[in-house]
């Protein structure tokens, strides 16, 4: 494969045109004439987590709630280990970004008084099937925004300790893009497909998180030496069995409870209900032989059943189709639930880049927003928008402090990085037929993580000996992955998706080892450390990868009024 090199200069590069990426671009375009380039591996009209639509805004300050009560809830649910400054800054913007979405055309359900219909204390109902096209539409056709669809970014370009852009390849042609930027925002979402999926064979990609978000933003940062936080706080969704439809739609929609096969309510037996405890209690009931477990819906009214049919058609049609196909419905049978495989998702839990208050990473000129940014769980759509706005506003305030992009163009260090990357990409096409193929290496990675790093097959439990084996196997796979053969651009993409997930796995394993406790049940379940130890617990587990070595750094908790800035 002979690649053609295409160089683009811009003020701001946004990697990932999903929820956060589009909103940062919109904020920049509305408040400046800065040149913005968005590079997305897919087509931003239907890319990322919002591709299929969502039916609720899950982070909203509802009636009787305040930004402070939102922060208290997130802190409680996360057992005290969150970046309070980040969550608080998000909480203060949740309602204004929601209004912004409505102004862009998102239908938000209203009651007779014209007020938003609440689904829960912190959640409102929307008709969100078109939420992503609306965001994409808002930034399309703007003179200063250039959208590069189907471009997979593989690494940052780094000069001294600053990010000066990124390099990626087109999935549709033999073009390599070298994009030079004064500021870069990483908004590539979280990581799916690290663990063996709980749906087999052809349904393997039927997973809760977007299967196309494969942790590449994390991996680029790891390779470039950015500090990462809280990878050990994995996210595992409790979902309707097989269809992976959200349970919240039932639980909050009709205010129901979880019951085991004997019809007993069981969550409270395990402690005060938190998001992870609802999952943990379900896993335990199954282990004790009390499964399967359900959301209790039998006996709901015809009207409520119809509402659920409609609600799921809006965002997880498989659930409604499953009922209809069986001539059944939630009024006549309870809804079976189970956990998914684990994911790394900074929008639900706290894994991601260690960012300051403005969402700057520890690498100069690089920001991170949305699911790829760490420290602030329960962001969801609106939290991602809030972060996107904060980062864009910081860029507007500080753009003057940066390098002249044209100087970078002639920089030897950068052209060496570009040439090296082009060689790396090309080698996959010239590799001899390898001993293993792409699917086999992907499967091997997922199996290792499942069996040795707390996947679904081990009830999410692991110990240090198992983690040691996982670490070794992942390193072996990192060697093997370079021998893979690509015949097409799609193969090349698949190879890079594995490389990135292997880097994420490597960091994840180290973080799982480093937290010597077990309090985020299931998310982080180290059987070697069953006892609580507040002193050890109330810290952030951070890491930095330099010269091929991963170093764990423990950091003190940051309070709500701190507005944390990086020391350097
Ligand atoms: C199934 C599901 C249901 C959800 N339901 C709700 C809900 O009902 N309510 C709610 O409030 N929240 C919900 N959420 C959460 C919410 O959707 C996410 O937190 C949010 O959309 C994440 O935004 P993001 O910008 O970080 O990532 P995304 O919107 O996923 O954007 C990431 C973008 O990066 C691109 N990308 C990835 N890698 C690369 C690369 N290497 N190069 C270039 N581009 C790349 C992707 O194509 C994608 O466009 C849900 C999430 C999921 C997965």
């Amino acid at each position: 494969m002979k690649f053609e090199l295409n160089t683009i200069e811009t003020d701001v590069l946004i990697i990932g045109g999903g929820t956060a990426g589009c909103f940062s671009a919109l904020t920049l375009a509305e408040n400046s004439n800065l040149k913005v380039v968005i590079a997305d591996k897919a087509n931003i009209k239907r890319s990322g987590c919002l591709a299929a639509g969502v039916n609720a805004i899950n982070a909203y300050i509802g009636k009787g709630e305040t930004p402070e009560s939102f922060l208290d809830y997130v802190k409680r649910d996360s057992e005290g280990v969150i970046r309070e400054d980040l969550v608080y800054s998000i909480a203060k913007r949740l309602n204004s970004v929601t209004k912004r979405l409505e102004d862009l055309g998102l239908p938000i359900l209203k009651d007779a008084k014209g007020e938003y219909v609440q689904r829960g204390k912190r959640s409102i109902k929307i008709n969100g099937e078109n939420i992503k096209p609306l965001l994409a539409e808002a930034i399309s056709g703007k003179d200063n925004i250039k959208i590069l669809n189907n471009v997979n970014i593989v690494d940052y370009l780094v000069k001294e300790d600053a990010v000066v852009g990124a390099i990626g390849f087109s999935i549709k042609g033999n073009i390599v893009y070298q994009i030079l930027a004064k500021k870069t925002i990483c908004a590539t979402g979280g990581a799916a497909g690290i663990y063996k999926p709980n749906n087999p064979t052809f349904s393997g990609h039927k997973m809760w998180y977007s299967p196309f978000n494969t942790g590449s933003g994390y991996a680029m940062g790891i390779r470039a030496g950015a500090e990462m936080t809280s990878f050990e706080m994995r996210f595992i969704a409790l979902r309707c069995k097989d269809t992976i439809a959200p349970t919240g739609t039932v639980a909050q929609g009709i205010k129901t409870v979880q019951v085991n096969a004997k019809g007993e309510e069981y969550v409270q037996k395990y402690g005060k209900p938190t998001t992870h405890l609802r999952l943990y209690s379900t896993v335990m009931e199954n282990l004790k032989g009390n499964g399967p477990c359900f959301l209790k819906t039998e006996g709901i009214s015809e009207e409520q059943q119809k509402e659920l049919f409609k609600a799921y058609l809006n965002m997880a049609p498989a659930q409604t189709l499953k009922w209809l196909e069986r001539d059944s419905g939630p009024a006549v049978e309870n809804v079976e639930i189970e956990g998914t495989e684990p994911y790394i998702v900074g929008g639900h839990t706290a894994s991601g880049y260690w960012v300051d208050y403005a969402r700057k990473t520890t690498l100069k000129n690089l920001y991170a927003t949305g699911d790829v940014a760490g420290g602030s769980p329960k962001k969801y759509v609106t939290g991602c928008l809030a972060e996107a706005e904060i980062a864009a506003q910081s860029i507007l305030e500080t753009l003057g402090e940066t390098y002249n992009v044209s100087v970078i163009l002639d920089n030897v260090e950068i052209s060496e990085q570009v040439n090296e990357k082009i060689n790396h990409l090309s080698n996959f096409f010239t590799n001899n037929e390898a001993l293993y193929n792409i699917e086999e290496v992907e499967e091997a990675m997922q199996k290792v993580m499942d069996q040795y790093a707390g996947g679904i097959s081990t009830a999410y439990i692991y110990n240090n000996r198992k983690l040691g084996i996982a670490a070794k196997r992942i390193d072996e796979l990192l060697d093997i992955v370079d021998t893979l053969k690509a015949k097409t651009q799609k193969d090349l993409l698949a190879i890079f998706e594995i490389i990135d997930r292997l880097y994420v796995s490597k960091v994840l394993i180290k973080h799982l080892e480093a937290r010597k406790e077990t309090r985020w049940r299931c998310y982080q379940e180290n059987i070697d450390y069953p006892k609580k130890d507040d002193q050890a617990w109330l810290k952030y587990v951070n890491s930095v990868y330099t010269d091929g070595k991963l170093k764990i750094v423990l950091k003190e908790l940051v309070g709500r009024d701190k507005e944390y800035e990086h020391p350097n």
Side-chain angles (χ1 to χ4, degrees), residues 165-179:
I167 183 163
F169 62 88
S170 164
I171 297 157
K172 297 264 160 106
N174 59 339
I175 304 172
V176 164
Y177 288 92
Q178 161 186 232
I179 309 166

Side-chain angles (χ1 to χ4, degrees), residues 16-20 39-42 47-50 54-58 151-153 187-189 208-209 213 216 220 315 348 370-371 380-381 384:
T19 317
D40 199 289
K41 70 193 276 191
S47 65
C49 293
L50 296 185
V54 288
N55 68 352
I57 293 294
N58 283 342
V151 172
N152 185 58
I153 299 295
T188 50
W208 167 75
Y209 198 64
N213 287 354
S216 50
M220 285 177 228
M315 78 165 301
H348 272 65
D371 285 1
Y380 307 116
V381 170
C384 292

Side-chain angles (χ1 to χ4, degrees), residues 126-147:
I126 60 170
N127 278 341
E129 194 273 330
N130 272 331
I131 186 168
K132 190 69 214 292
L134 279 174
L135 275 171
E137 179 63 29
I139 55 166
S140 301
K142 292 229 185 287
D143 287 345
N144 50 343
I145 301 182
K146 183 180 175 70
I147 299 166

Side-chain angles (χ1 to χ4, degrees), residues 371-420:
D371 285 1
V372 83
S376 45
K378 300 203 174 283
K379 270 180 226 173
Y380 307 116
V381 170
T382 37
C384 292
L385 300 182
E387 282 202 322
E389 193 177 64
I390 292 169
Q393 286 170 352
S394 166
I395 287 177
L396 291 171
E397 283 161 19
T398 57
L399 200 67
E401 301 163 10
T402 46
Y403 291 93
N404 177 344
V405 175
S406 306
V407 175
I408 302 165
L409 205 51
D410 305 323
N411 189 275
V412 181
E413 201 180 329
I414 296 301
S415 50
E416 271 174 15
Q417 280 173 44
V418 170
N419 289 338
E420 203 179 294

Side-chain angles (χ1 to χ4, degrees), residues 505-523:
S505 302
K506 197 176 165 74
V507 174
L508 168 58
I509 292 164
K510 264 274 184 259
H511 276 245
L512 290 172
E513 254 172 29
R515 198 172 271 289
K516 302 192 186 327
E517 236 228 59
T518 295
R519 211 177 296 202
W520 294 315
R521 305 307 312 243
C522 290
Y523 297 176

Side-chain angles (χ1 to χ4, degrees), residues 331-553:
V332 290
E333 60 173 343
N334 290 333
V335 180
E336 191 176 341
I337 50 177
E338 68 172 358
T340 61
E341 67 274 21
Y343 307 95
I344 298 299
V345 187
H348 272 65
T349 47
S351 329
Y353 280 87
W354 177 248
V355 289
D356 73 0
Y357 190 74
R359 274 51 177 188
K360 286 185 210 141
T361 70
T362 52
L363 299 178
K364 240 194 204 154
N365 297 336
L366 178 69
Y367 289 74
T369 60
D371 285 1
V372 83
S376 45
K378 300 203 174 283
K379 270 180 226 173
Y380 307 116
V381 170
T382 37
C384 292
L385 300 182
E387 282 202 322
E389 193 177 64
I390 292 169
Q393 286 170 352
S394 166
I395 287 177
L396 291 171
E397 283 161 19
T398 57
L399 200 67
E401 301 163 10
T402 46
Y403 291 93
N404 177 344
V405 175
S406 306
V407 175
I408 302 165
L409 205 51
D410 305 323
N411 189 275
V412 181
E413 201 180 329
I414 296 301
S415 50
E416 271 174 15
Q417 280 173 44
V418 170
N419 289 338
E420 203 179 294
K421 198 42 80 182
I422 292 177
N423 283 341
H424 190 206
L425 298 174
S426 308
N427 286 346
F428 290 105
F429 291 93
T430 51
N431 274 344
N432 289 326
E433 217 44 73
L435 210 51
Y436 307 97
N437 65 34
I438 297 170
E439 288 74 26
E440 285 164 348
V441 177
E442 181 185 39
E443 235 179 271
M445 167 186 67
Q446 292 174 336
K447 188 174 170 202
V448 165
M449 294 304 287
D450 179 60
Q451 296 185 344
Y452 296 109
I456 192 166
S457 74
T458 62
Y460 310 115
I461 297 167
Y462 53 87
N463 60 31
N464 284 351
R465 289 162 318 281
K466 284 194 171 192
L467 291 177
I469 297 171
K472 255 198 198 149
R473 297 284 173 270
I474 293 298
D475 277 345
E476 286 163 12
L477 289 169
L478 268 166
D479 288 337
I480 288 174
V481 83
D482 269 339
T483 68
L484 288 176
K485 173 141 188 87
K487 293 189 181 123
T488 63
Q489 299 294 102
K490 283 227 163 115
D491 287 347
L492 190 62
L493 174 65
I495 291 171
F496 272 87
E497 289 178 339
I498 298 175
I499 294 176
D500 291 341
R501 281 176 287 168
L502 286 169
Y503 274 93
V504 173
S505 302
K506 197 176 165 74
V507 174
L508 168 58
I509 292 164
K510 264 274 184 259
H511 276 245
L512 290 172
E513 254 172 29
R515 198 172 271 289
K516 302 192 186 327
E517 236 228 59
T518 295
R519 211 177 296 202
W520 294 315
R521 305 307 312 243
C522 290
Y523 297 176
Q524 179 265 331
E525 190 76 44
N526 192 335
I527 203 102
D528 286 339
Y529 301 101
K531 288 203 184 122
K532 287 190 175 180
D533 169 4
D534 269 348
Q535 238 192 337
W537 177 260
L538 294 171
K539 297 256 186 318
Y540 306 113
V541 174
N542 287 7
S543 63
V544 183
Y545 183 70
T546 32
D547 301 326
K549 292 221 161 57
L550 197 60
K551 193 172 139 218
I552 291 288
V553 190

